[in-house]
Amino acid sequence: MALRYATTDPFEALPNSRGGVVRSAEAALAEAQLAFVQRVDATAPLLQAARALREAGWLAAHRFANALALASSMAQQADVPHVDGSHTAFGEALDVFRTAVGRHNLRELSCSPSLFAHYQVLSQQVAQHTPGFSVTFEDLALAARPVPPVTLHAQPTNTLAHLRARYERALLPVLRAHQREGAPPPDIHGALDELEACLAEAAGPDPYDFWRLATACARALRASGHTTGDADARHFYARCNLVFADHARGTPLAPRSLVRATLATLWRDFALFGASAEDADQVELLHDYGLTVDWHVAGTQASEALWEAEAAQAEAAAAARTARTRDLGVLTVNAHAYEDFLQTADASIAALSDHARQADNPEKADPGAALQAGDAAYRLGSAACALGLGHVALLADALGLAWRRRAHAGVTTPAVRSHTIVDAPDARSLDHAAEALRAMLHKIAAGVAPADSSAALAALTRAIEQGGAPDGARAGAA
């Protein structure tokens, strides 16, 4: 499982030394912090920061800045801040968020549990004045990302009933474990083994089967130590029990809200800490859902930290010698990182364009070629994410997901096709998305900010999320 680092700040991952800087947002946040200290309204500079972050494509950070702006007036109205608590909570959230934006790590801004805890507190303050307002971890982690439909393939009702009975027996000690003082009971590991076994046995052949996703999530939770002591983990296990009931009733699709929560939970630690060789299967599953991770460059935590420190020192030395930067709208990037990105982008967009032209002939569908196209899109998305080009990263990752669905839909094995609802995104949508990416990259190469990818992303999202239930999926087999 992923390595973890000891840090001196409230964050989990390492800062991105080569990442782009949204200077106008950082200046606006500094102005907001000064206003907060002086007990004047900080809403205006927070809205300025939110606009700049939105323009850069840092959408999770944009959501956080908006939450700060909404909570700002409430914090200033707190006459007795130490009693009310909103003034202190707002100040802490603003300070942590300002630090996070300065770390230039887009995956951390999306997936940091520490940052989300502050976001949740802010949202609870807003909810006091806005009935029904609520936020979840996946609202930040998966902001603007498409999520394909996920299936519950038809199985004999007696098989599902037996699995659910086993699952419920194992679930009870897991849910009760957090209520006991001291260490978890010795049988808890056996119960977790049984839960994981039930999830794995329920999985079907569809690459987008919910139980495949749930099994991977359960394994990631255990590997990271998030099980009985983590409220989200207990909630996940309990919701899976309800899905067993839905599955037995013949429901063909897993609840979208649970799919999003499960996917975000699975991605969280990989996004923050990267992946190692033994995580290859889970990384492949994340790729099926349009999510990427960085790979470790070393085998131990000590060697990894040393490599990161040396890389940061080399980058700082290069920056001190040349101090060359490029401005791409609100984003300022290191010139060396910018040139490296353009080389990656040129190769990736050429591959994507070639594959999109070949995809126009369904009779010659090649799953292997579609996987290669998806990998090219993911390389571009990861490079854009590292540079801070949020709009490019989101569209490239969505295109990688579209090609993944194309690859899985090209599988002709009857045993698989009889249970799958993967509909291949049409060649036109793939081509339009590749052209939108090409246009964005041309602007970046010319030193101009890329256009907002919202329209192209929305069109691709519709193509990815389409799908109907397979024949016979609504009724459980006898």
Side-chain angles (χ1 to χ4, degrees):
M1 184 58 183
L3 302 179
R4 281 154 182 75
Y5 306 95
T7 59
T8 57
D9 50 46
F11 298 101
E12 297 81 12
L14 291 168
N16 179 16
S17 59
R18 291 172 62 88
V21 182
V22 187
R23 286 177 174 163
S24 56
E26 292 189 4
L29 290 172
E31 183 182 346
Q33 198 162 36
L34 179 61
F36 169 75
V37 171
Q38 296 175 344
R39 296 302 298 264
V40 298
D41 191 3
T43 303
L46 286 170
L47 290 175
Q48 291 173 8
R51 283 192 294 270
L53 292 167
R54 179 68 181 83
E55 189 175 340
W58 295 21
L59 299 190
H62 169 254
R63 283 177 177 255
F64 200 110
N66 273 339
L68 281 167
L70 287 171
S72 176
S73 59
M74 303 174 199
Q76 297 304 329
Q77 292 169 5
D79 294 328
V80 189
H82 295 292
V83 175
D84 176 88
S86 61
H87 186 271
T88 301
F90 176 85
E92 291 175 351
L94 176 55
D95 181 61
V96 169
F97 179 62
R98 183 185 172 193
T99 301
V101 170
R103 289 162 61 84
H104 318 137
N105 187 330
L106 296 193
R107 289 192 179 120
E108 180 179 74
L109 284 167
S110 296
C111 294
S112 165
S114 300
L115 201 58
F116 175 70
H118 289 284
Y119 180 65
Q120 204 168 30
V121 170
L122 292 173
S123 300
Q124 289 168 354
Q125 294 175 13
V126 175
Q128 294 175 8
H129 303 271
T130 310
F133 182 86
S134 64
V135 296
T136 61
F137 175 72
E138 57 271 19
D139 291 334
L140 280 184
L142 303 180
R145 291 182 178 274
V147 175
V150 176
T151 60
L152 297 168
H153 80 286
Q155 294 193 51
T157 53
N158 59 336
T159 298
L160 291 172
H162 177 66
L163 280 174
R164 189 185 185 195
R166 285 174 52 197
Y167 188 90
E168 287 184 331
R169 284 195 298 271
L171 178 62
L172 190 57
V174 171
L175 295 181
R176 285 178 173 172
H178 78 285
Q179 300 173 348
R180 300 179 177 135
E181 295 183 0
D187 63 338
I188 195 65
H189 296 294
L192 291 169
D193 287 341
E194 180 70 354
L195 290 179
E196 188 178 310
C198 291
L199 296 174
E201 289 178 36
D206 187 347
Y208 293 96
D209 178 90
F210 173 73
W211 300 117
R212 290 183 68 240
L213 177 62
T215 302
C217 183
R219 289 171 179 165
L221 285 170
R222 293 189 71 181
S224 62
H226 298 293
T227 50
T228 57
D230 188 285
D232 290 336
R234 295 193 302 273
H235 193 208
F236 161 74
Y237 291 128
R239 290 187 72 182
C240 284
N241 185 45
L242 298 178
V243 176
F244 271 113
D246 291 339
H247 198 170
R249 287 193 290 269
T251 302
L253 297 175
R256 180 175 173 80
S257 62
L258 178 56
V259 170
R260 284 172 54 81
T262 304
L263 187 59
T265 301
L266 172 61
W267 189 41
R268 179 180 59 198
D269 283 359
F270 290 114
L272 293 172
F273 309 117
S276 50
E278 62 266 25
D279 304 317
D281 289 343
Q282 289 172 308
V283 172
E284 278 298 298
L285 188 88
L286 287 170
H287 284 176
D288 283 341
Y289 287 90
L291 300 171
T292 61
V293 304
D294 290 328
W295 292 97
H296 289 313
V297 296
T300 68
Q301 179 172 328
S303 57
E304 179 92 359
L306 179 61
W307 186 93
E308 291 284 356
E310 291 175 348
Q313 290 172 2
E315 184 67 21
R321 286 195 304 271
T322 62
R324 290 199 305 125
T325 59
R326 296 293 297 266
D327 289 333
L328 304 172
V330 298
L331 187 71
T332 300
V333 299
N334 176 278
H336 296 294
Y338 166 79
E339 291 161 4
D340 291 344
F341 168 77
L342 290 180
Q343 291 182 5
T344 299
D346 284 343
S348 294
I349 202 66
L352 286 168
S353 298
D354 289 344
H355 285 298
R357 284 191 293 271
Q358 297 170 11
D360 208 19
N361 188 347
E363 294 181 358
K364 296 183 179 181
D366 182 352
L371 287 175
Q372 292 176 18
D375 290 342
Y378 288 145
R379 285 194 297 273
L380 175 56
S382 291
C385 180
L387 194 62
L389 293 165
H391 289 302
V392 175
L394 277 171
L395 184 56
D397 284 351
L399 185 55
L401 167 54
W403 274 110
R404 279 275 170 156
R405 285 180 62 76
R406 185 94 179 180
H408 289 311
V411 176
T412 56
T413 305
V416 174
R417 290 295 296 160
S418 64
H419 293 293
T420 186
I421 65 164
V422 176
D423 292 332
D426 59 278
R428 185 177 180 184
S429 66
L430 297 171
D431 190 45
H432 283 181
E435 284 303 310
L437 273 175
R438 182 190 294 276
M440 296 172 81
L441 294 173
H442 280 168
K443 287 193 172 186
I444 292 169
V448 179
D452 188 325
S453 63
S454 297
L457 183 60
L460 191 57
T461 296
R462 287 193 295 272
I464 289 168
E465 294 183 348
Q466 68 182 359
D471 294 339
R474 296 184 182 277

